[in-house]
Amino acid sequence: MLSYFARRLAGTIPVLVAVSIFVFGFVHALPGDPARLVAGPEATPADIAAIRVEMGLDGPLWSQYLIWANNAVHFRLGRSIATRQAVEEVIGERFMPTLWLTLVSMGWSMVAGVAIGVISGVKRGRWQDQAGMVMAISGVSFPGFWLGLLLISLFSVHLGWLPTGGDVGWRSYIMPSFALGLGVAAVMARFTRSAFIEVSSADYVRTARMKGVPERSVVWRHTLRNALIPVITLTGLQFGFLLGGSIVIETVFTWPGLGRLLVDSVAYRDYPVIQAEIMLFSAEFVFINLFVDLLYAVVNPEIRLT
Amino acid sequence: MSAALADAAIRSPLAEFWRRFRRKWLALGAGLVLLALIAAAIAAPLVAPFDPATPDYNAVLQAPTLLHLCGTDAYGRDVFSRIVWGGRVSLSIGFLSVALGGTIGVLIGLIAGFVGGRIDGMLMRMMDVLLAFPGIVPAIAVVAVLGPGIDNVIYAIAIFSVPVFARLVRGITLAIKQAVYVQAARSIGVRPMMLMLRHILPGTLPSVIVYASLRLSTSLLTAASLSFIGLGARPPSAEWGAMLADGRAYLGVADHITLFPGVAIFVTVLAFNLLGDGLRDALDQKL
């Protein structure tokens, strides 16, 4: 078990290194002098010279990368062009609102998705199943940001029940987390249903039913518990979807998080912030997938044998 | 039983596909909706009653009427006409990005699966790296480097469609490589290039078509999202996501500006998803 964990952990390192090379290359792929880009439009020649030394731009490209990577590992991410603040501070301020929004969205959408999937699986072919699956395929196709706009129009502008945006207490989570989580809930529902149906035809479920185990116990103990194993793997991917989706949803709800920061930074060409954010989003995604894989190994011993 | 077998044996694959697909009325309907949308986009000058870019300051923010089916926006432009013209932009981004990313991905998958060994390992690690960027983030990165605009959105979405197709095709290639007919072709001296393109590639196509349809829905959503946050098609371009961004300022005042372009995105994406599901059932139950 431990050796499996160690191998999986080691496997993420080359991926992270490759991602960091991509993110590093990003500023160098832009036309113009990287020091000038990082310094921003209002920098003095002295600033630019200082940054040139700091980034090691007089050295070869590989040594520039090593300097940059070393700084990044120690959370020295440079200064924001827009605010002159240290990038790690800018990101630190925005981290928690996005984390909470993502967690709330993940939480409700997993519970709702699995519940709808199980109901559809149990009532296969009946109206509950059909209603569930119509909701699911519509949910997958619904543009989250459009849903956000419709919700704002209805609940904030017309009814005045909820705040239009910003992070001002628990009520401001309702609409963004619903708009963000809908797609995930829909995917979860579809996937849970098919996993549930597949497990229902397994021999051990048939045997349980045959020996007279009550139906409730067949569903909860024998089918659902096994059907949830593949669902676990899906959560990692869906988290990536939420991270990406949060960028657009935060723009709709003027949420003070990382997503809106990224959009603003791209508009402002604030390259140090863009670099750091892309690295952060990818690292988060890689580690969440690692965590999900390990969790999968814990609940499903089969995987460790291979 | 034997009659049924004989019956199935004489049908061409295409006829067999059609026999199964035509019973999927939902997917069939979705296909027809898509054909109508594509036709409307191509024939936009004939279908759209107004010019999509000409302002009319006497008809600003009008609610839907018989003249303006979806109302007018803040410049008095006809929302319906803009949706029809915007279909050209949105659908082209979808089709071009999936065609580009799909072609490259299929080739990489074919080569990786067929050649195997180190080349396979190397190509697949590259695909893993592309998959390490979550959701819309990589597209934003590419647009941040190349600058906003429709072309760059197509490239951005295409690049990150590559690994999806590469992984799919590699898996199928590994399976088909062992099939008797491929082994037979190899044994009579068919060249590797010919084996890949004539004998293996066609076998991967059913799954590729299913993925392409589902991927089109993702690409359309991504493109609309990028335009919405101001990194894709820029206003005054009539792109569906950009139209939603325009309508945002008039929420509660003129909801129709936000409502109808969103309906267009939703219907198109839903249709591609339903079509993809139906194709999957009709072409390949294994996926």
Side-chain angles (χ1 to χ4, degrees), chain A residues 150-198:
Chain A
L150 297 180
L151 290 174
I152 290 177
S153 170
L154 180 61
F155 292 106
S156 305
V157 182
H158 289 295
L159 296 171
W161 290 352
L162 294 168
T164 52
D167 180 6
V168 287
W170 64 271
R171 285 164 71 240
S172 32
Y173 278 87
I174 297 174
M175 293 194 295
S177 65
F178 184 69
L180 184 54
L182 183 73
V184 174
V187 174
M188 285 282 173
R190 280 170 64 117
F191 197 78
T192 307
R193 176 182 180 269
S194 53
F196 193 90
I197 288 172
E198 204 177 310

Side-chain angles (χ1 to χ4, degrees), chain A residues 14-15 18-19 22-23 26-27 29-31 137-146 149-150 152-153 157-158 190 239-241 243-245 247-248 251-254 262-263 266-267 269 271 274 277-278 281-283 285-286, chain B residues 125 128-138 140-148 160 214 221 224-226 228-231 241 244-245 248 251-253 255 258-263 265-266 269-271 273-274 277 280:
Chain A
V15 172
V19 167
F22 181 93
V23 172
F26 165 84
V27 161
L30 294 161
I137 196 142
S138 311
V140 173
S141 313
F142 223 95
F145 58 101
W146 181 48
L149 294 174
L150 297 180
I152 290 177
S153 170
V157 182
H158 289 295
R190 280 170 64 117
F239 215 91
F241 177 85
L243 283 175
I247 297 170
V248 186
T251 306
V252 174
F253 290 97
T254 55
L262 181 61
V263 174
V266 171
R269 300 183 170 271
Y271 293 112
I274 302 174
E277 282 226 53
I278 291 172
F281 273 116
S282 306
F285 188 41
V286 167
Chain B
R125 289 300 80 72
D128 286 348
V129 172
L130 287 181
L131 287 171
F133 296 93
I136 197 176
V137 174
I140 292 179
V142 171
V143 171
V145 174
L146 300 176
F160 292 91
L214 297 174
L221 275 180
S225 307
L226 282 173
F228 177 74
I229 57 179
L231 301 178
L244 285 178
R248 206 181 151 199
L251 277 182
V253 182
D255 284 329
T258 319
L259 185 65
F260 294 106
V263 171
I265 301 174
F266 173 61
V269 172
L270 180 66
N273 277 330
L274 289 172
D277 277 2
R280 168 163 48 200

Side-chain angles (χ1 to χ4, degrees), chain B residues 112-269:
Chain B
F114 187 77
V115 180
R118 272 207 190 150
I119 292 180
D120 178 25
M122 208 181 69
L123 287 172
M124 285 302 119
R125 289 300 80 72
M126 278 166 61
M127 296 301 109
D128 286 348
V129 172
L130 287 181
L131 287 171
F133 296 93
I136 197 176
V137 174
I140 292 179
V142 171
V143 171
V145 174
L146 300 176
I150 293 166
D151 293 0
N152 296 338
V153 168
I154 294 175
Y155 298 136
I157 298 176
I159 294 172
F160 292 91
S161 303
V162 169
V164 179
F165 288 95
R167 279 194 165 181
L168 170 78
V169 170
R170 174 181 176 267
I172 304 170
T173 304
L174 284 176
I176 297 182
K177 204 162 77 166
Q178 305 302 329
V180 177
Y181 71 89
V182 176
Q183 296 293 331
R186 193 199 289 270
S187 71
I188 60 169
V190 174
R191 289 178 188 285
M193 197 63 164
M194 204 60 170
L195 270 181
M196 271 197 319
L197 297 179
R198 280 287 296 275
H199 296 269
I200 298 178
L201 180 64
T204 68
L205 286 183
S207 310
V208 170
I209 292 169
V210 171
Y211 261 56
S213 179
L214 297 174
R215 189 71 202 170
L216 267 162
S217 69
T218 318
S219 297
L220 274 162
L221 275 180
T222 310
S225 307
L226 282 173
S227 299
F228 177 74
I229 57 179
L231 301 178
R234 309 298 291 270
S237 167
E239 197 270 349
W240 295 340
M243 290 174 73
L244 285 178
D246 283 345
R248 206 181 151 199
Y250 304 96
L251 277 182
V253 182
D255 284 329
H256 59 268
I257 308 179
T258 319
L259 185 65
F260 294 106
V263 171
I265 301 174
F266 173 61
V267 167
T268 314
V269 172

